[in-house]
Amino acid sequence: MEFVYEVEGGDFTKAGNASSAVKKTLKQLNVNPKVVKRIVVALYEAEVNIVAHAYNGTIKVTINSEHIHIVLDDKGPGIPDIDLAMQEGYSTASSKVREMGFGAGMGLPNMKKNVDELNVSSEVDKGTTVEMITYL
Amino acid sequence: MKISEIIKVLNASIACGEAYIETNIERGFASDLMSDVLTLDTDKMILITGLANMQTIRTVEMADVQCILFVRNKQISEDMLKLAQEHNMVLLQCKYSMFNAVGKLYQAGLEPVY
Ligand SMILES: Nc1ncnc2c1ncn2[C@@H]1O[C@H](COP(=O)(O)OP(=O)(O)OP(=O)(O)O)[C@@H](O)[C@H]1O
Ligand SMILES: [Mg+2]
């Protein structure tokens, strides 16, 4: 099964719509609720990152009996130092993003904690790709 | 502690989820930082917050939290209410500050997460 969602940068009213849809699907597929929570928390953090830090992006979710594979691909400023961005507390979030309740610098560490495999790659001034794999 | 007791302790009003006020809540977590909330792995928890926007509702949806208390009479928008109802959440409002509300709930026996 494969699903694709579009995400618009800057639009906080819709941030989380894709994660919510994925949550619904995983529940319908009777995936263990603890596993569902871990996946959607990681996905939501990554979706909010596109909204908060990039211009626009797509989310591709592939589900089969062995794993759930999610790729978030965005056009945006990219991440110059990924190791630094992965550190707890590191954030470049704008005051607008902070007003929305984000910008603690916990998103990427949170993703790492909640999925089996996390790969982040990025090119400055082009965009960022986040890949998350959870084995079932 | 039941949600109904939380309502009593704080003189809170209920914006939605009347049907679930006998649900038991064991722990409280107070934060305006949504990524902080998303680090938790705690069942039967209430989120106490001064942040009232769509992301507050989305965050607790992802985190499987059923109940939110908004302090300082923070207003709940129509969109927030609709989303919360869709997910069977209980939304409460009280006039107390975060400090005061948290103090009263702690005194009444609500446990912290950490
Ligand atoms: N998709 C992205 N595009 C550009 N920069 C990003 C992207 N995702 C993360 N970053 C950069 O990495 C930093 C750390 O990201 P992380 O998600 O950990 O924290 P945050 O988004 O700033 O705050 P939080 O997630 O706690 O709300 C961001 O502040 C930003 O500088
Ligand atoms: Mg983030």
Side-chain angles (χ1 to χ4, degrees):
Chain A
M1 251 185 279
E2 191 177 294
F3 303 90
V4 178
Y5 305 91
E6 305 285 330
V7 183
E8 218 174 298
D11 187 355
F12 269 95
T13 58
K14 291 197 200 124
N17 284 8
S19 304
S20 184
V22 171
K23 183 173 186 184
K24 210 180 260 174
T25 305
L26 293 178
K27 273 166 89 179
Q28 276 164 1
L29 291 170
N30 280 322
V31 178
N32 176 338
K34 294 252 180 228
V35 176
V36 173
K37 179 178 165 180
R38 290 164 65 96
I39 293 170
V40 298
V41 162
L43 173 57
Y44 179 57
E45 288 282 14
E47 184 180 357
V48 169
N49 273 359
I50 298 180
V51 176
H53 308 298
Y55 313 138
N56 60 71
T58 57
I59 301 176
K60 200 171 93 186
V61 182
T62 314
I63 306 171
N64 65 32
S65 58
E66 274 142 43
H67 65 240
I68 294 163
H69 185 185
I70 303 176
V71 180
L72 300 99
D73 209 0
D74 73 51
K75 290 191 177 59
I79 305 174
D81 185 339
I82 293 172
D83 288 339
L84 184 63
M86 292 296 304
Q87 287 180 18
E88 281 187 16
Y90 177 81
S91 176
T92 62
S94 64
S95 54
K96 185 189 157 206
V97 169
R98 289 176 199 276
E99 267 169 41
M100 299 309 296
F102 287 89
M106 293 299 296
L108 284 165
N110 239 352
M111 289 175 220
K112 180 134 193 97
K113 204 183 82 184
N114 280 297
V115 296
D116 293 324
E117 261 182 58
L118 175 73
N119 299 304
V120 183
S121 56
S122 189
E123 210 176 320
V124 172
D125 290 334
K126 288 233 166 100
T128 300
T129 302
V130 174
E131 181 189 32
M132 304 189 288
I133 304 171
T134 301
Y135 298 101
L136 293 174
Chain B
M1 184 185 302
K2 286 179 176 174
I3 294 175
S4 57
E5 288 170 65
I6 293 174
I7 294 174
K8 216 189 281 166
V9 168
L10 297 173
N11 219 332
S13 58
I14 178 160
C16 69
E18 282 88 350
Y20 312 108
I21 60 168
E22 295 311 312
T23 305
N24 201 40
I25 300 285
E26 283 170 5
R27 287 169 204 281
F29 189 76
S31 182
D32 292 345
L33 290 172
M34 294 303 110
S35 291
D36 216 6
V37 178
L38 290 165
T39 61
L40 303 178
D41 186 20
T42 308
D43 292 329
K44 300 179 187 159
M45 191 195 97
I46 181 171
L47 171 66
I48 303 148
T49 185
L51 185 84
N53 63 35
M54 283 297 272
Q55 295 322 305
T56 320
I57 313 287
R58 279 290 183 219
T59 298
V60 309
E61 176 195 347
M62 300 308 154
D64 288 332
V65 172
Q66 204 197 354
C67 186
I68 311 175
L69 167 69
F70 295 103
V71 296
R72 288 282 284 157
N73 274 333
K74 287 280 157 25
Q75 291 311 298
I76 297 167
S77 71
E78 278 301 314
D79 285 345
M80 288 166 66
L81 199 60
K82 224 178 98 193
L83 189 59
Q85 281 165 334
E86 217 174 281
H87 296 284
N88 303 326
M89 290 173 196
V90 183
L91 300 190
L92 308 176
Q93 288 160 299
C94 78
K95 67 176 196 317
Y96 296 119
S97 67
M98 177 82 105
F99 183 79
N100 202 344
V102 165
K104 283 189 160 65
L105 290 176
Y106 189 83
Q107 207 163 33
L110 193 66
E111 297 279 337
V113 174
Y114 291 112

